[in-house]
Amino acid sequence: MLQAARQGGAGVLGSLLTHWQGHAPREIVLCECGQRMTSQGRRAKGLLTTLGAVPFRRSFYQCEQCRQSRFPDDERLDIVNTTYSPGVRRLMARAGSQTQFEQAAQDLLCYAGLHIEPREIERVAEDVGRQVEQWLSEQQEQIVQAGLSVPPQLKPGAKFYISFDGTGVPVRKSELVGRKGKQADGSARTREVKLGCVFTQLGLDKEGHPQRDPDSTTYVGAIESSTLFGWRMYAEALRRGLGQAQTVVVLTDGQRYNRTITQTHFPGAVHIVDLFHAYEHLTLMAQILWGPQAESPKAWRTLLEAGDIKRLVAKAGKDLPSSPKAKKSLCKELGYFENNASCMHYAEYREKDFFVGSGVVEAGCRTVIGERLKQSGMHWSVRGANAIIALRCCIMSGRFEDFWAAHTR
Ligand SMILES: [Zn+2]
C-alpha cells in the first residue's frame, strides 16, 4: 500500500509540475552576457523525489550569441545540475552524515524506499555539507561585523561556557605531505580537527556537581589553523549570547594555542585548564622521578586542587633528576604548570560552582567527530572531512532544519 501510495503521489506530482509549467508567467530569460535567450523547446530530465521518480520535461533556453544555456524551471525548483529533489538531497545529506555511505544507502532504501548508490550519497552529502559551511561562514561574518539583529535570551544567572579541543582524523597520504606526526618514524597519519562547543550552566545537580542546561550545547569544528578556528569559535559564542553573558568561562586542556585564542577573543573570560589533564601531568612528573609505576603524591594533588602552583612547582622541582633527558622532561612538565598557573585556581572555581573539567568537549570529540570520521579503514580528504564535519556540527547543534529553511528561501 505504501509503495502504491508513493507511486500515486509521484504521478500527481508529475501532473502538478506540468500544470505549473503551463501556467507560469512567461518571463524574459537573459544570458550572463546580457543577451536575451531563446527557447529551444523542452528537454527531459530524470528527477528523483521522496515519492520516487517523476517524469519531468523543462524548457531549454540558449543564447544565440555565446551558446550558453539555462533551464529556468530547474532554477525555480532548486534542481540545477542535479537529478535529486531538495527533499531527497536533505535525506541523503542526513543519512551520509550519520553513518558510512554504504550503510546510508541501505538506510535510505529501508526508511524511504529510495535506491541510491553509496557514492552518490557521498557526493551529495559533501555538496550539502559545503553549502552548510558556506551558510555558516556567511552568518559568522555577519555576526562578527554587524552583531546579531535579534540577540538570544540567556537565562538570568546562567554561566556561559566556551570549550575547545583537538582530535586527529585519518586522512589520505596526499593530505600529509611535509607534516610531522606522532608515528615512530616521525610521519603523520592524521590531521587535527579542532572542535569547539558553547553551553550554559544554571546550577548544581543533587550531588552538588555543576550541571549543564539540557540542550544548551552547540558545536563548531573544522580542520583549519588555530587563527581561523579562533574566529569560528568567537562567532559561535557571539551567536549564543556572549555579549550579554555575565560570567564567561573558557575550558581547555592547556595547549599554547588555547591561551592565544582566549586572550585574543575572550579577554574577559575566566580561563580554566582542565583539572583532569593537570592530574595526568602530576602523574607524569612522578613517573619521571620514580619510575613508570609511580603515582603522584597526595601532597601535590592537594596543592594543585588548592591552586597553589607556586608551591607545587617548588616541591616537585626540588630535586631534579641527574640524567639530562629526565631532567629536561621534568622541566617541561614544570613549565606546563608555570605557564598555566593563572588558569589553575581550582579552589576558587569550586567555590563559584564552575565546571573544572573539559569533559563536554571531549565527549563532543567522540560523538561529533570520532563516531563518523574515525572508523577503521577510513582515509578522508580534508575537503570531504570538513564538509561532513560541518554537516554534523549543524545537525548536532539542532540547526539542520534552519539551514534548509534558509536554503529554500
Ligand atoms: Zn550569451
Side-chain angles (χ1 to χ4, degrees):
M1 284 301 294
L2 182 58
Q3 211 174 353
R6 279 209 191 96
Q7 272 168 18
V12 172
L13 179 55
S15 311
L16 279 174
L17 283 176
T18 310
H19 182 85
W20 170 76
Q21 286 173 313
H23 291 76
R26 296 227 172 268
E27 280 165 12
I28 294 168
V29 180
L30 292 178
C31 175
E32 272 178 359
C33 74
Q35 276 285 321
R36 188 175 168 161
M37 291 174 134
T38 53
S39 173
Q40 307 288 327
R42 295 207 168 166
R43 298 281 188 281
K45 154 171 188 149
L47 177 61
L48 187 67
T49 73
T50 48
L51 293 162
V54 170
F56 185 52
R57 295 175 61 81
R58 73 276 200 245
S59 313
F60 172 61
Y61 282 79
Q62 209 165 32
C63 173
E64 286 175 5
Q65 199 100 11
C66 66
R67 311 309 292 170
Q68 291 210 75
S69 55
R70 274 180 68 183
F71 293 99
D73 289 350
D74 284 6
E75 293 167 15
R76 272 179 234 135
L77 292 171
D78 185 18
I79 48 170
V80 177
N81 293 329
T82 176
T83 58
Y84 302 108
S85 74
V88 171
R89 298 206 302 275
R90 174 163 159 266
L91 295 182
M92 291 167 86
R94 193 179 161 98
S97 78
Q98 298 295 305
T99 171
Q100 302 188 27
F101 302 116
E102 293 78 18
Q103 299 281 321
Q106 290 175 28
D107 285 348
L108 285 186
L109 182 58
C110 177
Y111 299 153
L114 294 169
H115 288 268
I116 302 175
E117 290 290 316
R119 63 169 189 281
E120 286 288 277
I121 295 178
E122 176 172 4
R123 191 174 59 74
V124 170
E126 291 185 359
D127 246 18
V128 173
R130 277 187 280 278
Q131 286 166 11
V132 166
E133 177 59 27
Q134 174 88 26
W135 176 66
L136 291 173
S137 72
E138 277 163 18
Q139 279 191 335
Q140 182 182 321
E141 205 158 300
Q142 247 173 9
I143 291 168
V144 171
Q145 306 253 313
L148 281 183
S149 48
V150 189
Q153 283 300 306
L154 283 184
K155 290 181 195 146
K159 298 184 179 77
F160 191 93
Y161 287 85
I162 298 153
S163 188
F164 45 93
D165 197 3
T167 183
V169 159
V171 293
R172 295 177 189 158
K173 278 215 175 86
S174 56
E175 304 281 14
L176 293 165
V177 177
R179 286 181 178 267
K180 272 191 220 153
K182 293 175 187 159
Q183 299 294 109
D185 62 355
S187 69
R189 275 169 49 192
T190 61
R191 290 281 298 268
E192 188 190 48
V193 177
K194 293 187 181 69
L195 183 77
C197 64
V198 173
F199 59 93
T200 55
Q201 172 209 351
L202 270 180
L204 304 173
D205 65 10
K206 279 187 217 125
E207 282 98 46
H209 301 301
Q211 198 175 21
R212 237 190 318 166
D213 277 339
D215 299 325
S216 73
T217 314
T218 56
Y219 301 94
V220 291
I223 301 175
E224 66 187 350
S225 71
S226 57
T227 307
L228 285 178
F229 178 75
W231 284 101
R232 185 186 294 274
M233 194 71 255
Y234 175 58
E236 179 63 5
L238 280 181
R239 187 183 73 80
R240 293 293 311 279
L242 176 70
Q244 26 155 344
Q246 312 251 301
T247 311
V248 181
V249 177
V250 175
L251 273 171
T252 70
D253 63 9
Q255 290 192 50
R256 192 180 296 269
Y257 82 87
N258 299 164
R259 278 200 299 282
T260 313
I261 289 180
T262 307
Q263 283 159 6
T264 309
H265 296 291
F266 312 107
V270 181
H271 184 186
I272 302 176
V273 163
D274 177 61
L275 175 61
F276 305 94
H277 275 83
Y279 282 139
E280 282 171 20
H281 284 274
L282 285 187
T283 307
L284 270 174
M285 289 202 296
Q287 289 170 346
I288 293 166
L289 285 168
W290 303 302
Q293 303 301 322
E295 280 178 35
S296 57
K298 179 90 175 42
W300 291 6
R301 274 174 291 162
T302 309
L303 285 173
L304 175 66
E305 283 154 20
D308 196 345
I309 305 307
K310 213 170 179 180
R311 277 180 64 197
L312 170 68
V313 168
K315 221 176 168 78
K318 196 171 52 180
D319 301 304
L320 291 178
S322 47
S323 115
K325 200 179 155 205
K327 193 169 162 182
K328 199 178 159 201
S329 307
L330 190 73
C331 286
K332 198 177 148 208
E333 291 304 319
L334 292 170
Y336 163 84
F337 285 101
E338 281 173 333
N339 291 334
N340 286 311
S342 63
C343 313
M344 292 181 164
H345 303 299
Y346 296 113
E348 187 192 322
Y349 308 147
R350 290 233 193 248
E351 200 143 295
K352 292 180 173 162
D353 296 331
F354 290 160
F355 276 98
V356 292
S358 53
V360 174
V361 75
E362 283 160 32
C365 283
R366 288 192 297 275
T367 54
V368 180
I369 308 298
E371 282 177 12
R372 179 65 186 90
L373 289 110
K374 294 172 81 162
Q375 301 297 320
S376 66
M378 286 185 173
H379 302 285
W380 293 89
S381 66
V382 168
R383 193 173 139 86
N386 272 341
I388 298 296
I389 292 165
L391 258 184
R392 286 180 70 80
C393 285
C394 181
I395 290 172
M396 296 199 180
S397 303
R399 304 185 71 202
F400 194 49
E401 295 313 311
D402 292 347
F403 162 73
W404 280 104
H407 184 77
T408 315
R409 265 201 300 281

